[in-house]
Structures are given as structure tokens and as C-alpha cells.
Amino acid sequence: MYHGVVSSEAAIPPDREAGAELYDLDVQKFQEQMQFIRDRGRRVVTLEEEESLGGQDIVMTFDDGEMNNFQKAFPILRAFNFPAYFFVTVSRVGKKGYMGWEELMELRDAGMLIGSHGLDHEILTNLTAKKVQRELVESKAALERHLKVNVEYFSVPRGFYNQTVMEIAAAAGYKKIFISQPQGSLGANCLARIAVKGDWSLRRFEMALEGKTPPEEALFNSSKSIIKNIIGGSGYDRLRTLLLKKRQ
């Protein structure tokens, strides 16, 4: 799971959530990671190839729909002939730092897959069922209307989901729901991902491809999941924002 792929001249949205920069990957690092995948003979595939998927295959995703994905990541993906899923926050399409419909259509025409990241990048577990339905249904409809494609994939924004979110997503017609760290048991239509961070070394990237996590990182992730479950989406978001501001 990628977010921003950046360089000194890459477009950075002004309205990002606190901590988004932790997931910004320098374009040179991204190039090196793609070359590493190619050199190791690993396949980058889509879920449409599900019948032939192997344990070494990679499914690549990008969250948020930032313009730097189009400017920096897309040309590299195209050079390597790697497919990817781009999950778009619909209310931000065309705003400063984000892809517009023209860029999304170019991704579509190049064989990339476009999915929903909701209307407003909300923490869905904070919302009523009616508002969750609006986030999922209206974002799907807008993408389908503008891009003339079936939108069958949804990426949960901010990492918070529950059974209600999963049920509404399924009812809305999404075939697969992409999440970050898993919380409890997952349904067959729910896919956990590994978030690539900007400070990763190439060795850390290799570990991710091998399904390994450094012990201290695994402990941190486990602790974070416990805290999320205890204080909920709003509480965790406030705590995270406060801690990140103190680091600046």
C-alpha cells in the first residue's frame, strides 16, 4: 500500500491529515523498489488474475488519489508494465494536489484499476450507517459515471472499519474491501495490506515482500491496534495528531 510518491517538484496536497508525510516515498526509492521486484522475478498482478495467483505475487495499491501518483509513480509503473489499484477520495478529485478526471481516465486507459476511497476520507466507524452508506454508494456512483467503468473495489480510509462497514460495502456492490492492519477476523472479501513507509530501507522492503516484520515494529503495530480498539476512531485520531504535532 503506497500513498505519496514525491520529489522536490511533486504536487503535495495542502489538506492532508497529520502524519501523511510518514508515508511519502521519494521517487528514487520507488524506482529502486520496482527494480528490486523485477530483479527478483516477482509478478505484480491484479485480482482479476485470481485463479493464477501465487504466494510470491504482489498486488500494488495507492490510496488517496494524489497528483504525485500520476506525475511520479505512474510513469515508473508503465515502464515496468506493472498494474496497480488507485483508490480515490471523490470529493478531492481535481482539487489542488489531487488527480482530476482527466488523469484518472489516463490511468484507466493504461490498464490501471480505479477504486473508491470514500467521498470525504472520513473515519467510517464514527458515522451513522446512513452516512457510511452515502460515503460508499455515492463515491462508487460518481467514479462509475465519470470513468465509465465498474467500480468493484473499496479501500477503507484511515484504517477504521467494523462489521457494519463491511456489510454496507458488500451491499453497495464492492467485490473486495482493502484495509491496512487487520482487526479481528476477516471475511473472504477483505484484504489486509502492508503500508510502505518513506523511511524504509531496501532491506525493510525486502522483508515486507517476504511477509516479515521486524520484532519492534510488530510490537508497535500490536500496541497501536489495542489502543485503537480501546479509544476508538475519534480518540485515536486526536491522540495521533497531538503526538505528531509534538514531534514537529
Side-chain angles (χ1 to χ4, degrees), residues 114-133:
I114 312 298
S116 170
H117 202 39
L119 276 179
D120 301 307
H121 210 252
E122 294 275 6
I123 296 177
L124 298 178
T125 52
N126 289 349
L127 306 180
T128 65
K130 185 176 181 179
K131 288 183 177 179
V132 171
Q133 185 175 38

Side-chain angles (χ1 to χ4, degrees), residues 99-158:
M99 289 185 283
W101 296 115
E102 185 175 339
E103 288 79 20
L104 292 170
M105 285 188 279
E106 189 168 339
L107 291 178
R108 174 204 64 191
D109 293 344
M112 304 297 168
L113 293 106
I114 312 298
S116 170
H117 202 39
L119 276 179
D120 301 307
H121 210 252
E122 294 275 6
I123 296 177
L124 298 178
T125 52
N126 289 349
L127 306 180
T128 65
K130 185 176 181 179
K131 288 183 177 179
V132 171
Q133 185 175 38
R134 175 177 176 270
E135 286 283 326
L136 274 62
V137 172
E138 292 188 17
S139 60
K140 184 177 189 293
L143 290 168
E144 291 180 336
R145 183 171 64 253
H146 285 278
L147 301 177
K148 311 302 181 190
V149 295
N150 291 326
V151 173
E152 299 178 325
Y153 304 101
F154 177 73
S155 169
V156 174
R158 313 292 292 279

Side-chain angles (χ1 to χ4, degrees), residues 176-190:
K176 298 287 184 182
I177 298 98
F178 290 75
I179 60 170
S180 48
Q181 293 292 329
Q183 303 166 29
S185 60
L186 302 176
N189 65 336
C190 196

